[in-house]
Amino acid sequence: MFTTEFLDLPHLARAGGSVQLPGSKSISNRVLLLAALSAGTTTIHDLLDSDDTRVMLDALHALGCTVTPRQVTPGQPVQITGIDGALPNNARAQLFLGNAGTAMRPLTAALAILGGSFEMTGVPRMYERPIGDLVDALRQLGCQIDYLRDEGFPPLRIGQPDFRQLGSTGAAPIQVRGDVSSQFLTSLLMALPLLASTSPQAIAIDVVGELISKPYIHITLELLARFGIRVENHGWQRFVIPAGSRYQSPGSIHVEADASSASYFIALGAIAASAEGQNGIKIEGVGLDSIQGDIRFVEAARAMGAEITGGPNWLHVARGRWPLRAIDLDCNHIPDAAMTLAAMALYADGTTTLRNIASWRVKETDRIAAMAAEARKLGALVEEGAGFIRITPPAAPEDWRAASIHTYDDHRIAMCFSLAAFNPAGLPVRIQDPKCVAKTFPDYFEALFALVQPGAPAPVICIDGPTASGKGTVATLVAQRLGFALLDSGALYRIAGLAASRAGIALQADQADRIAALIATLHIVFAPDQRVLLNGEDISLAIRTEEAGMNASRVSAFPAVRQALLQWQRDFRRLPGLVADGRDMGTVIFPDAPLKVFLSASAECRAQRRFKQLIDKGLSANMHDLLADLQARDARDTQRSASPLQPAEDALHWDNNAERTVEQAVQQVLSWWQQRQPFAAEESAV
Ligand SMILES: Nc1ncnc2c1ncn2[C@@H]1O[C@H](COP(=O)(O)OP(=O)(O)O)[C@@H](O)[C@H]1O
Ligand SMILES: Nc1ccn([C@H]2C[C@H](O)[C@@H](COP(=O)(O)OP(=O)(O)O)O2)c(=O)n1
């Protein structure tokens, strides 16, 4: 996940490949509970790994279900052996459910009917989330539920129910409010088959008030059917669970990915030209047979020109009509995914109108106002009303503007506007606060970058300079602030020197070809936690000694060695960008880099810094030797014939002397980067 202040997306041109979407949260927890209540063992594929599913798995384990493995591992199914509709007598447990509404509500309903002695707890925020309407409905049946703190809110204590009164009023429907949260109805629908299994009569639930979020109830009903429970739906106002209903494991089940998350990749396939050798985008995890309402986004995307095919659990999208066709659509049936149509509208051949979207105004932010404001920044013409938005794309490529998109802590705004990076003007797009995507899709940008190709090679910031000038420190921090990848090219020379000495090869010119051949066989990993692995061994410390630096300097003078490491270094270039530090980043490796910085500092200052750095790392050091070594290294690095250390002609110089702090250097580089961005002026006005 990108946790940077902003994320600069370079202009994007093409897309291709396949993306595996994470399992939907609401389907994951429904499937877990149904598997737990069923007879038999259920193998669950593509379960989402999230806080909500973790607390649910822990709770099911505490209730005596067999859960293997106990944690969700990507690509590995989870197996649950259910309780077959009953818990042992006197079952008791204290269940901590964090802030997971998708665990608290359905588990409360199921346990209240199963009976036992349970305490349902969570984090403080959970104690502010109402559950009174569900508790009232369960009490009508004879369930025993007490509030442990505030009336109407968790934590709760659940006891042994008394269903005797049902004998006389058995057929009386249970009343539940439908206009507050559809989760209450979902909870009852999933729990009441426990009662229906032994009841002589069917059990009916009456919805009081207009039922909101019908698509979610649809998901519940579909999943119940897969677990053997066929609920009659009487016009979304009455639901009847037949007497003798019994949960039966389907054996194996796939958790669908979130269909609204799929909409960004459907739009991507419709907007982007196919990458060379690829044909469109394959989306895995959700298919045309999806039980989610938002799958109908597919119809809308087709109407705009996308070519979409699909099967169970997969979709394939390619660009069809281009430019896209402008549409006029009532979006009531796809409130969330419809936002993605607004992003597609930027590439349409006229004015697109999205109607019946008043609910956008009361979501994470006023989504109509937010969409309008940000699309206008890009140069689109936007009209908005209480319940509609009308978008006309910029008339010509030169009418597009580079924008820094404000995201209002709304994941969907961020994901929608990432698609603006395909603009025909070749402009980058800045997404502010990119971590807001965490709500539904923490790795959205990583998934996007894996599929797209930039219009020009990804940007590189080169930071060159002599030893201990601060390159590594400054480059690491600049990369962190921008969310860019990092290339510590010196580490590659250090690894080459280390590997050659360990192999007993003398570090001299007549051995250069042997060293180059050795380099080709090395397996090097730069782990995300900063460790460097050589053929599986952690060599992070071994390559940081002064001796390793000197050996690196020796092998780096050999043209064959430099050649052997050339492509290796260029392969670090990736989206959204790269910060590369070394000696020849700006002159040889990335001569086209849009920003080149050259750091310098006096030999004494650098020796001081290196001394302190080594001591802090627990390595021994001697000031006098350090200064001598450093001067020797300077001499070799600057005087060698192959790519000597020298500033690129277009490098910007920063005197990184003793009176300058790390933060000053970092701010200077960031400000140079900012000056090169087309939205610099607009950004400062925000
Ligand atoms: N202004 C500064 N810029 C960069 N590093 C600084 C600065 N002031 C002190 N330092 C310290 O100096 C050391 C620089 O070492 P490093 O970044 O490894 O240099 P290089 O990669 O150029 O060899 C670090 O320990 C860093 O904390
Ligand atoms: N791009 C590069 C990076 C490093 N080298 C060589 C020259 C340096 O003395 C060694 C070690 O580089 P490194 O950047 O790790 O060294 P310092 O941290 O600056 O002391 O490798 C190079 O020739 N070209």
Side-chain angles (χ1 to χ4, degrees):
M1 184 167 75
F2 287 87
T3 54
T4 46
E5 191 187 328
F6 56 82
L7 181 60
D8 286 345
L9 307 179
H11 171 246
L12 301 176
R14 294 172 176 276
S18 86
V19 59
Q20 172 79 52
L21 296 180
S24 138
K25 182 172 82 171
S26 46
I27 296 183
S28 289
N29 265 358
R30 282 173 173 83
V31 165
L32 283 177
L33 181 62
L34 291 173
L37 298 176
S38 290
T41 297
T42 309
T43 303
I44 306 174
H45 298 272
D46 305 327
L47 192 69
L48 176 70
D49 184 19
S50 71
D51 290 346
D52 283 28
T53 48
R54 254 170 261 142
V55 293
M56 183 63 119
L57 280 169
D58 289 345
L60 299 181
H61 177 72
L63 291 170
C65 297
T66 314
V67 180
T68 36
R70 286 277 290 106
Q71 267 113 25
V72 185
T73 319
Q76 217 183 308
V78 171
Q79 286 196 322
I80 308 245
T81 303
I83 58 169
D84 193 8
L87 283 172
N89 277 344
N90 303 321
R92 53 194 315 125
Q94 181 164 36
L95 302 178
F96 174 78
L97 302 172
N99 192 19
T102 58
M104 174 64 85
R105 285 140 178 191
L107 270 174
T108 294
L111 294 177
I113 292 175
L114 287 167
S117 172
F118 307 105
E119 260 184 44
M120 317 291 280
T121 67
V123 298
R125 172 77 186 119
M126 177 62 102
Y127 301 160
E128 295 167 7
R129 301 177 63 182
I131 197 164
D133 287 313
L134 177 64
V135 170
D136 290 349
L138 291 163
R139 282 176 174 167
Q140 291 167 44
L141 289 164
C143 291
Q144 179 66 44
I145 306 173
D146 296 314
Y147 296 111
L148 291 173
R149 284 198 194 178
D150 297 332
E151 192 75 7
F153 298 86
L156 307 171
R157 176 177 297 119
I158 295 173
Q160 204 58 41
D162 179 356
F163 296 130
R164 271 174 305 180
Q165 44 143 350
L166 282 184
S168 52
T169 60
I174 295 142
Q175 316 267 316
V176 66
R177 281 180 65 181
D179 53 353
V180 185
S181 163
S182 64
Q183 271 189 24
F184 297 153
L185 177 55
T186 279
S187 302
L188 290 174
L189 286 167
M190 292 203 296
L192 285 172
L194 291 167
L195 201 53
S197 63
T198 53
S199 155
Q201 290 128 327
I203 296 182
I205 308 171
D206 272 358
V207 178
V208 182
E210 175 73 7
L211 178 59
I212 56 167
S213 308
K214 291 192 185 86
Y216 283 113
I217 301 301
H218 176 72
I219 291 175
T220 306
L221 298 178
E222 287 286 327
L223 290 175
L224 278 164
R226 294 196 190 176
F227 281 85
I229 311 285
R230 306 207 174 272
V231 179
E232 295 163 24
N233 175 358
H234 298 271
W236 302 100
Q237 285 302 305
R238 171 171 287 194
F239 297 90
V240 178
I241 301 165
S245 291
R246 180 162 180 247
Y247 306 96
Q248 181 61 49
S249 164
S252 160
I253 189 164
H254 278 268
V255 172
E256 284 185 16
D258 186 61
S260 40
S261 298
S263 73
Y264 307 102
F265 296 97
I266 295 173
L268 176 67
I271 292 169
S274 274
E276 213 165 303
Q278 306 261 16
N279 171 28
I281 308 263
K282 175 136 191 228
I283 301 167
E284 295 184 83
V286 62
L288 289 176
D289 62 345
S290 168
I291 57 177
Q292 301 168 70
D294 272 342
I295 196 63
R296 295 190 57 198
F297 175 81
V298 165
E299 296 161 20
R302 277 183 180 145
M304 293 191 82
E307 278 184 3
I308 306 174
T309 51
N313 234 33
W314 64 271
L315 297 169
H316 183 273
V317 191
R319 198 203 244 191
R321 185 183 202 273
W322 190 256
L324 296 176
R325 187 185 294 114
I327 55 168
D328 186 325
L329 188 72
D330 182 323
C331 299
N332 192 35
H333 59 301
I334 46 168
D336 287 342
M339 287 175 75
T340 316
L341 297 174
M344 289 173 75
L346 294 169
Y347 301 97
D349 57 2
T351 302
T352 290
T353 306
L354 306 177
R355 299 177 193 279
N356 209 348
I357 53 166
S359 66
W360 283 20
R361 294 222 181 258
V362 293
K363 291 291 175 81
E364 277 79 346
T365 182
D366 178 342
R367 286 177 162 171
I368 296 185
M371 265 290 171
E374 303 311 307
R376 282 185 192 120
K377 282 190 196 165
L378 292 164
L381 199 70
V382 187
E383 201 190 320
E384 55 170 300
F388 75 88
I389 190 165
R390 185 169 287 141
I391 299 175
T392 310
E398 53 277 17
D399 296 319
W400 279 80
R401 288 196 296 276
S404 174
I405 301 295
H406 187 69
T407 49
Y408 310 84
D409 202 12
D410 185 339
H411 52 133
R412 298 201 187 281
I413 299 276
M415 295 191 277
C416 281
F417 280 96
S418 68
L419 298 169
F422 285 91
N423 62 78
L427 296 168
V429 176
R430 175 168 288 182
I431 303 291
Q432 296 173 29
D433 189 28
K435 68 173 182 315
C436 66
V437 299
K439 174 125 199 234
T440 46
F441 203 157
D443 291 335
Y444 170 73
F445 290 106
E446 287 85 344
L448 177 72
F449 292 152
L451 293 173
V452 299
Q453 290 178 356
V460 183
I461 300 176
C462 297
I463 304 185
D464 285 308
T467 180
S469 56
K471 305 177 300 297
T473 306
V474 175
T476 305
L477 288 167
V478 169
Q480 271 171 16
R481 307 265 168 102
L482 295 175
F484 281 16
L486 178 70
L487 166 59
D488 170 5
S489 62
L492 289 173
Y493 290 96
R494 286 171 182 263
I495 293 168
L498 182 78
S501 355
R502 281 184 176 181
I505 306 175
L507 307 185
Q508 50 196 42
D510 59 358
Q511 298 297 312
D513 288 342
R514 279 184 71 197
I515 301 174
L518 175 70
I519 289 172
T521 67
L522 301 179
H523 181 61
I524 302 171
V525 177
F526 291 93
D529 59 4
Q530 313 264 326
R531 284 179 316 142
V532 185
L533 305 178
L534 172 61
N535 300 333
E537 178 194 345
D538 183 351
I539 50 155
S540 320
L541 273 186
I543 58 167
R544 289 297 151 205
T545 64
E546 280 311 279
E547 189 199 349
M550 194 59 100
N551 286 344
S553 175
R554 287 196 181 99
V555 297
S556 72
F558 309 147
V561 169
R562 302 200 76 82
Q563 185 59 35
L565 290 174
L566 181 78
Q567 197 53 43
W568 215 315
Q569 297 173 78
R570 290 195 175 146
D571 287 347
F572 272 78
R573 192 169 196 166
R574 67 191 66 158
L575 288 169
L578 175 70
V579 183
D581 91 75
R583 303 293 188 287
D584 59 347
M585 297 297 101
T587 50
V588 176
I589 309 294
F590 304 110
D592 63 332
L595 175 59
K596 300 174 187 175
V597 177
F598 195 86
L599 298 184
S600 55
S602 69
E604 288 70 23
C605 164
R606 290 186 282 129
Q608 277 289 351
R609 284 182 180 156
R610 184 63 90 224
F611 180 78
K612 184 165 181 312
Q613 201 181 23
L614 290 170
I615 300 295
D616 287 351
K617 274 193 183 154
L619 296 168
S620 67
N622 165 307
M623 239 337 253
H624 180 266
D625 294 353
L626 265 180
L627 185 59
D629 280 2
L630 183 141
Q631 283 164 331
R633 196 121 76 87
D634 279 358
R636 186 183 300 105
D637 291 351
T638 50
Q639 286 159 23
R640 67 183 181 218
S641 57
S643 317
L645 168 64
Q646 61 181 40
E649 266 178 24
D650 49 350
L652 299 170
H653 290 256
W654 178 252
D655 178 354
N656 208 14
N657 253 309
E659 59 285 357
R660 296 264 167 88
T661 64
V662 172
E663 191 54 28
Q664 278 174 320
V666 170
Q667 284 307 328
Q668 182 59 66
V669 177
L670 290 173
S671 128
W672 280 329
W673 169 254
Q674 177 75 5
Q675 285 164 20
R676 276 160 178 67
Q677 302 313 308
F679 30 75
E682 197 260 350
E683 167 75 345
S684 50
V686 168

